[in-house]
Amino acid sequence: VRVKIIFYPIIRRKYFNLKGIFEFLIQYRKAVKRLEQFALDENVSMIHSNTLAVIEGVSVKKKTGVPLLVHLHEMIDHPRFVAKILYKIAINGADKVAVVSNAVKRHIEGLISREVKNLVVIHNGLEPDLESSLEKKKRKRELGFDEDKKLVAIVGRVNAIKGQDHFVSMMK
């Protein structure tokens, strides 16, 4: 697989001031030009933006016509006006918006006060029956766990909005 690394700015709180806005816009403009050229040179057939913090895909899609899938994992609340703007940019600019849960879908639609037609829920996760019962027990032993106990893992950032505390309560 050929890999090309192209720098682009990611929306972060450090840009939420006058100087930061100008810095972001300058970097954004340069990045869009580089990404647009890459999409054209490599005959890219689809753009995939994997977070709301990366909105360059919307501009590249507008300039090249390459279809855009925006994949959203996050539920942003604050600052509220920034969240609304970013969600609207993603929704209006993308051909499809995939979200990882019904909670994220409800959050977005509630925040922008309308149903989103190009939004689809695609749950993250693993197929539970990929390994046989014996393979699962062997894997648990290899990891040092009791083979007859249920084993659950949560991979991701620990954050109250994600509901990990509810999960732990339910497991009890």
Side-chain angles (χ1 to χ4, degrees):
V1 174
R2 266 184 345 146
V3 176
K4 181 167 184 175
I5 298 171
I6 300 173
F7 171 80
Y8 54 88
I10 297 171
I11 297 172
R12 300 190 189 282
R13 291 193 188 279
K14 74 177 188 175
Y15 294 121
F16 292 5
N17 58 62
L18 194 55
K19 180 183 176 214
I21 291 169
F22 285 114
E23 183 183 332
F24 178 83
L25 290 174
I26 290 167
Q27 291 178 21
Y28 180 88
R29 192 169 157 205
K30 289 177 184 178
V32 167
K33 284 182 181 180
R34 288 189 301 263
L35 291 165
E36 176 187 353
Q37 193 61 53
F38 176 79
L40 294 171
D41 290 348
E42 299 297 325
N43 197 26
V44 169
S45 59
M46 186 177 99
I47 301 165
H48 176 242
S49 291
N50 196 38
T51 177
L52 195 58
V54 177
I55 59 169
E56 287 82 357
V58 173
S59 293
V60 176
K61 177 206 174 9
K62 284 181 184 176
K63 291 177 182 270
T64 64
V66 175
L68 171 64
L69 167 66
V70 174
H71 194 170
L72 301 178
H73 307 262
E74 58 273 286
M75 293 192 286
I76 300 173
D77 271 327
H78 303 288
R80 196 166 188 79
F81 78 96
V82 172
K84 282 183 177 185
I85 290 168
L86 291 176
Y87 282 126
K88 286 180 180 180
I89 288 171
I91 289 162
N92 295 331
D95 296 282
K96 270 295 187 210
V97 178
V99 295
V100 297
S101 68
N102 289 316
V104 174
K105 179 181 182 198
R106 285 190 304 272
H107 175 77
I108 292 169
E109 291 179 337
L111 193 65
I112 65 171
S113 303
R114 69 177 170 93
E115 183 181 354
V116 180
K117 299 291 185 202
N118 63 339
L119 193 146
V120 61
V121 176
I122 302 175
H123 298 281
N124 286 339
L126 301 174
E127 181 64 38
D129 296 317
L130 289 177
E131 292 183 306
S132 71
S133 180
L134 289 174
E135 289 170 323
K136 288 178 187 177
K137 287 182 177 190
K138 179 182 175 202
R139 173 112 32 243
K140 287 178 187 178
R141 278 194 312 273
E142 289 172 353
L143 294 171
F145 295 103
D146 183 339
E147 65 185 44
D148 294 320
K149 297 282 184 181
K150 295 277 184 195
L151 182 60
V152 177
I154 299 175
V155 178
R157 180 172 53 103
V158 176
N159 187 301
I161 199 167
K162 293 181 177 265
Q164 289 113 336
D165 57 334
H166 296 297
F167 176 77
V168 171
S169 296
M170 289 185 295
M171 290 304 292
K172 289 178 184 174

